Amino acid sequence: MAGGAVTRFAPSPTGPLHLGHAYAALVADARGQMLLRIEDIDRARCKPEWEAAIFEDLRWLGLRWPAPVMRQSDRQAVYAQALAKLEAMGVTYRCACSRGDIRAALSAPQEGAAMIGPDGPVYPGLCRDKGIAAPDAAIRLDMARAMALLGQISFDDSGQDHAGRHLKTAPELIETIGDIALARRDLGTSYHLSVVVDDAAQGITEVTRGADLFEATAIHVVLQRLLGLPTPAYHHHRLIRDDQGKRLAKRDDARALAKYRAEGATPQDIRHILGI
Ligand code: GLU
């Protein structure tokens, strides 16, 4: 632990922790008081065994964190409250589109190449003015309305690839991110909404995470500003890649910490492999 920052490691219990997770956790720990958060909103993909394995792997690495551990599956009511606040501000709308509807709209001949945002192709706005009322529809952020309130947003990053202040204007966010989903029909929330609400609730002052999430940070800052929550500092760190240069994926069990451990590696060996 170093400095006065409060950081977090926020894994999803959908598989074994691999070298990339170990690096993320060690960076969070090195840069501040690391809190742990289990990102398990997607109940269908998360398993208690994987959660237990996360604790075991992190302890083995030599990491410790204060209790209680925040678990997103306990916090549906808090996410619903945040969503209700955004709805009351008039910066959301309900969306009944299936993935197929969106794909069809994007491949219509009059459409140019779809812009790819942090969540995939930028939503073409099909339901924006439909006034859909179905309570079980997905809920999207109306980026144009949100940015009409905010003007522009900014945040600071101290990671090596993105070091500096990042300023995002309304036209840029509308074009490159657009109307992202704030609540999936089946989950009642989304990664973006939950992370923003939870980072504030945990008092996180520096968000450390992989550079693959850099593009999503603008979404999080928009939501912080709309919800009146503080914007933490960001530190997007390098990604750990395999020998072919590919980013490690959850399925990459060959790089699972448990496997290294079973083969006799020590936590010090892991730090060495990670270049720490
Ligand atoms: N839960 C995400 C992951 O497993 C990390 C989220 C974050 O750090 O914002 O990659």
Side-chain angles (χ1 to χ4, degrees), residues 34-47:
M34 180 190 81
L35 306 186
L36 187 58
R37 181 167 76 226
I38 299 295
E39 302 215 322
D40 59 351
I41 51 175
D42 194 345
R43 303 301 292 153
R45 293 178 55 229
C46 296
K47 293 214 173 74

Side-chain angles (χ1 to χ4, degrees), residues 1-9 21-35 58 61-65 158 205-209 235 237-238 271 274-276:
M1 186 185 121
V6 180
T7 61
R8 77 326 191 255
F9 177 56
H21 295 106
Y23 187 68
L26 290 167
V27 168
D29 184 67
R31 295 187 63 85
Q33 163 72 70
M34 180 190 81
L35 306 186
L58 293 178
L61 270 178
L63 297 173
R64 300 292 181 268
W65 52 90
S158 58
T205 61
E206 183 178 270
V207 169
T208 61
R209 63 184 175 201
H235 181 90
H237 59 71
R238 67 182 165 91
R271 284 177 171 78
L274 292 172
I276 298 176

Side-chain angles (χ1 to χ4, degrees), residues 153-235:
I153 58 142
S154 63
F155 61 92
D156 293 311
D157 199 303
S158 58
Q160 83 185 27
D161 292 345
H162 297 101
R165 164 148 285 229
H166 299 269
L167 190 83
K168 304 274 179 186
T169 64
E172 195 181 344
L173 292 177
I174 293 166
E175 187 193 357
T176 63
I177 291 178
D179 297 350
I180 49 103
L182 291 175
R184 260 168 57 178
R185 212 182 310 255
D186 52 338
L187 301 182
T189 184
S190 59
Y191 161 66
H192 303 303
L193 184 68
S194 301
V195 155
V196 163
V197 169
D198 292 347
D199 283 339
Q202 287 189 297
I204 303 303
T205 61
E206 183 178 270
V207 169
T208 61
R209 63 184 175 201
D212 53 330
L213 285 165
F214 176 76
E215 301 299 334
T217 296
I219 301 173
H220 301 171
V221 177
V222 168
L223 295 177
Q224 288 153 6
R225 294 278 310 279
L226 291 169
L227 291 166
L229 302 174
T231 290
Y234 286 87
H235 181 90

Side-chain angles (χ1 to χ4, degrees), residues 75-175:
R75 295 176 48 77
Q76 281 303 331
V78 186
Y79 306 141
Q81 229 169 45
L83 204 52
K85 181 165 175 181
L86 295 171
E87 288 192 278
M89 292 172 77
V91 294
T92 64
Y93 60 88
R94 284 170 193 260
C95 171
C97 288
S98 65
R99 275 175 214 273
D101 296 334
I102 296 172
R103 221 175 306 128
L106 290 172
S107 61
Q110 67 275 17
E111 289 286 333
M115 177 69 74
I116 305 297
D119 289 352
V122 171
Y123 178 65
L126 300 170
C127 290
R128 191 181 296 130
D129 301 311
K130 280 194 190 154
I132 289 171
D136 64 339
I139 297 176
R140 288 187 181 276
L141 179 69
D142 187 325
M143 188 62 88
R145 286 183 185 228
M147 292 310 291
L149 295 178
L150 302 179
Q152 59 184 23
I153 58 142
S154 63
F155 61 92
D156 293 311
D157 199 303
S158 58
Q160 83 185 27
D161 292 345
H162 297 101
R165 164 148 285 229
H166 299 269
L167 190 83
K168 304 274 179 186
T169 64
E172 195 181 344
L173 292 177
I174 293 166
E175 187 193 357

